Amino acid sequence: TIGVVCFTENSEDALMWAHYGDKYKGFCIEFDTKFELFKKLRKVIYLDEMPLLNPLPFFVDDQAGQFADLYNIKFSAWSYEKEWRLIHKERDTSFHYPPEAVINIYIGPLMEEPYVEVLSLIVKNKYPHANIIRGQLSNTHFKVEF
């Protein structure tokens, strides 16, 4: 019944690239968060135990806020994600952001060259002010370097 868009603070994390970046073949978009849409971002809270909720306010006072907070809680093992979320009240609804909000496009180190070329053309056409940065796997650390 709702929609969720997830963001991270870290564009170099190897696990993020492995899990969400198509095994280093995808790309990552960096946004300038000064735009209105990003004022709705909520930081994910990482916990070791499930939170206890009192459902009474939901039924008595129609205060669904504490239940909405459940969409921003994850097990602490996922804390490396440094995740932020935007939540829609309707599923299948798109978030729209101004093209100027796109700062950088980080290309995964294993993206095949034909895809790099196509992505570069799209970025140059739609986001001419954005930088395109190709990543490489670090030789000394478990991360993607840009």
Side-chain angles (χ1 to χ4, degrees), residues 57-101:
F58 179 76
F59 296 110
V60 175
D61 300 327
D62 195 29
Q63 294 179 7
Q66 67 173 325
F67 292 98
D69 289 341
L70 289 176
Y71 291 104
N72 287 315
I73 295 174
K74 289 177 88 168
F75 178 43
S76 62
W78 294 97
S79 64
Y80 73 88
E81 291 183 337
K82 298 181 183 176
E83 186 176 345
W84 291 74
R85 291 183 175 175
L86 279 172
I87 298 176
H88 264 304
K89 294 185 184 192
E90 296 179 38
R91 67 181 182 164
D92 299 325
T93 305
S94 296
F95 280 106
H96 298 280
Y97 52 86
E100 307 82 52

Side-chain angles (χ1 to χ4, degrees), residues 99-130:
E100 307 82 52
V102 176
I103 300 172
N104 294 313
I105 307 292
Y106 298 98
I107 297 176
L110 301 183
M111 183 182 278
E112 296 175 21
E113 202 55 41
Y115 296 111
V116 172
E117 291 176 19
V118 170
L119 179 61
S120 296
L121 289 172
I122 292 169
V123 171
K124 286 177 184 174
N125 183 39
K126 191 160 175 113
Y127 311 102
H129 58 281

